[in-house]
Amino acid sequence: ADMPLTVEECYEACFAATCQGYERIYELEVADNESGFAGVWVHPARKKKRYHVGEVDGTFATAHEAALARAKARQQRAQHEVRSSREATRVP
């Protein structure tokens, strides 16, 4: 079975190595809810809690992992929207 990412691994995944060092690419958006993260909801499973996100299918073992998946999904959608609006404004 695939092991859930640790809290540290989730935070490390928010950065990408660049030639200048590390650059933040994802922000884990905190919120005052049961999971501690915006858009991450607690899904009571039989044995232990699972976390789910509106933007991503499936559930996650930890709230941090769910927050990271949400951040990635939101960023991909934002990049896609920028591309589509760029294509829409391109003059033939």
Side-chain angles (χ1 to χ4, degrees):
D2 52 340
M3 289 293 294
L5 294 174
T6 65
V7 172
E8 292 76 22
E9 286 169 333
C10 287
Y11 281 121
E12 280 166 18
C14 290
F15 292 87
T18 64
C19 45
Q20 278 87 35
Y22 286 92
E23 179 191 20
R24 179 180 280 283
I25 45 171
Y26 303 117
E27 190 71 56
L28 300 188
E29 208 181 321
V30 294
D32 187 16
N33 64 19
E34 194 183 345
S35 75
F37 292 100
V40 175
W41 309 107
V42 180
H43 176 74
R46 259 170 273 151
K47 288 197 177 95
K48 52 184 179 261
K49 288 178 180 174
R50 299 291 292 179
Y51 298 88
H52 65 103
V53 178
E55 290 89 342
V56 185
D57 290 334
T59 60
F60 300 88
T62 69
H64 285 82
E65 211 173 10
L68 178 61
R70 177 178 182 262
K72 287 180 175 179
R74 289 169 67 84
Q75 194 185 66
Q76 283 170 351
R77 196 169 60 241
Q79 285 168 346
H80 175 73
E81 283 165 11
V82 167
R83 271 198 303 275
S84 353
S85 66
R86 247 191 233 130
E87 281 157 24
T89 54
R90 208 183 286 146
V91 180

